[in-house]
Amino acid sequence: MDKFIGKRLDGRYEIHDLLGVGGMAYVYRAYDRIENRWVAIKILKEELSDNSEFLRRFRNESKAIAVLSHPNIVKVYDVSFGDRIQYIVMEFIDGITLKRYIEQQGALKWREALYFTVQILRALQHAHEKGIIHRDIKPQNIMLLEDGTIKVTDFGIARFSQAETQTMTDKAIGSVHYIAPEQARGGYINDKADIYSVGVMLYEMITGRLPFVADNAVSVAIMQMQAEPTPPTHINPAIPKGLEEITMHAMEKNPAQRFPSAADMLEDVERFRRNPEMLFHFGTQMDHAYARNASAGLYGSVQGTQPQYNDNYEYEEEYVRSRNGARASMIITGIVAALVVVGLVVGGIFLWKFFQNTTTEVSDEIILPHFEGKIYETEIRDNPEYADLEFEITMGNVPSKRPGEVLNQSPAGGMSVKKGKVVKLTVNGELEQVVVEDVTGASQTEAYNRLQALDLVPEIQAVPDEETAIGYVIKTDPPANSAVSAGTRVVIYVSSGPAEEFVEVPDVIGDLFDDAKRALTAEEFVIGSVKYDDKSTEEEGTVLSTDPEAGEEAPKGSAINLVVSSGKGAIKDVQYNIPLPPNVFEDVEMKIYVDGELFDTRTVNPSVSSQVKAIFSGTGRADLVIRLNGREYITAEIDYTTESVDVISQKEFVVATPTPEPTPEPTPEPEATPDSEATPDPSGGEMDAGTGGDITAH
């Protein structure tokens, strides 16, 4: 059994069940005893608690969402970064992912797709205005509620834009099917990467397919950087042209050619919703690019069946490793090709110069080195190798990087530039010293926000305290007024109330729910989850088990989970008034069969009563057959769940008329004996019976 289910975190959050598992965390449904509400708790996997990169991502998510407050962004209520367990308490969302909805529905109606897109853009507009870039926008991270409300979740690889001066690390890659080209190549990331991802999602919603699909993640990433997607109207001609323009404009390869901001894209989407006939004329390059690629047959293989991919974190890591190898291979191939081309060009120039009797001039271009990760003061500034370049320095502040380390450069390393080119470098500054503010007596939310505003990393730790109100700060560590470096972890000790008192759970098994509730609340317990057992034969509402079990000790005020009989499996009585046939005035033998077994035999007289009452007991359903005088009269089905009898057929019954006895034949007269008197002669004479001779007439 999961070790967290049934436990309580910091004396407050009662964990009930597991909602899902991600690349770095488990997500549980829990009940907040203080606020009396259901919440979702994301707990960092224990095996990752010592991994600094995962810790950074996990804490960065809470830091990112904590500064956001928008109806389309999941709320964060609490965080805890203890030594043994690290978790984030968030708003509980009862819904499905947008990805699941698309898989169920296929291509969405374009008005529905825009309805979802508007909400996503509003959420991103709010985040971008707060300086936060999500960087992993995909339908798997969009929750859809029953009422159509959208909630953007999972800011695990989000970054504050003022600190986003470093190239993207391997661990920060979003799902490859939705990442922007600059994100795929590991370039500089700004809020326009989120706009590209929104464009991909909009494309998927209105067409029912992803723009780029291949056999592996590396191929998809290369296509994100180089290939042009099939225009949506080529897949579904019913898609309005203006909507296609919006989708393709958001998916421009060059960030500078996309919508300037989420607010600008939202404005054009709203304009289109009001007038679906309008066109924007962002450019016609998408049709030209498609025609060019289609004629060359470059990407025809990606338009067929789309295999399913698991875009989780482990999958992304595989892509990073493959991407690095693929990029190295591409670079080597490019160098070889470049050398061949350069050789031909140089040879041609040499021959031309030879015949023109001129001298070859020295090129004034150089290949720009990669400066990211180097220390500017010691490795770059006075290095004679870079004497042909000028540097423009901008200071950054990323606590996880070394002071003086180059975070970003422009132009990018590997580009060919002229000597004397000004190269812009963002250099990590020294860690700023800040004073820990005294937040004693403040609420935990207020204290968390105040310390976070000082560029500190607050962590909530609940401890029992008799004097401080629940949810309010007792002290901090380091203590108030201490001077520490920016980015230092500060533990905020918050009161969880007086130390818990344990009491014995009363035995309520066999009690009805209302009686059990009274018994439990009398001991200052609360009712937790209630699950219903449809197979139990007990009466509806009967308590079958408790968790914790009867006799165990549990904290006073904690929740007791119950399993209760639904009553669906209980034995029930069903009464059936059997109708008797009319116009029958004598006794009839009735036999009743239930599921083929003889249930009862009785003698009835329809002239005395028009019906006979029968009561059946059982569960589920049963077949009923009634016979009168050995003949089938009624067939029916007993439904114990609904306590009813459903008649299937009822036949006419008539008492058989008895067959009359046959009339006996008359007995013949006995023949005359010799001594008898003479019998009359038919002719009128007499026959002499005594002579035995001829008959003689007299």
Side-chain angles (χ1 to χ4, degrees), residues 438-460:
D438 186 0
V439 292
T440 304
S443 69
Q444 68 177 42
T445 302
E446 179 186 357
Y448 185 93
N449 292 337
R450 283 160 59 180
L451 294 179
Q452 190 180 61
L454 297 174
D455 281 337
L456 299 173
V457 180
E459 174 185 312
I460 304 295

Side-chain angles (χ1 to χ4, degrees), residues 141-152:
N141 287 339
I142 307 295
M143 293 299 296
L144 174 61
L145 281 64
E146 285 187 355
D147 63 359
T149 301
I150 285 292
K151 293 280 187 178
V152 179

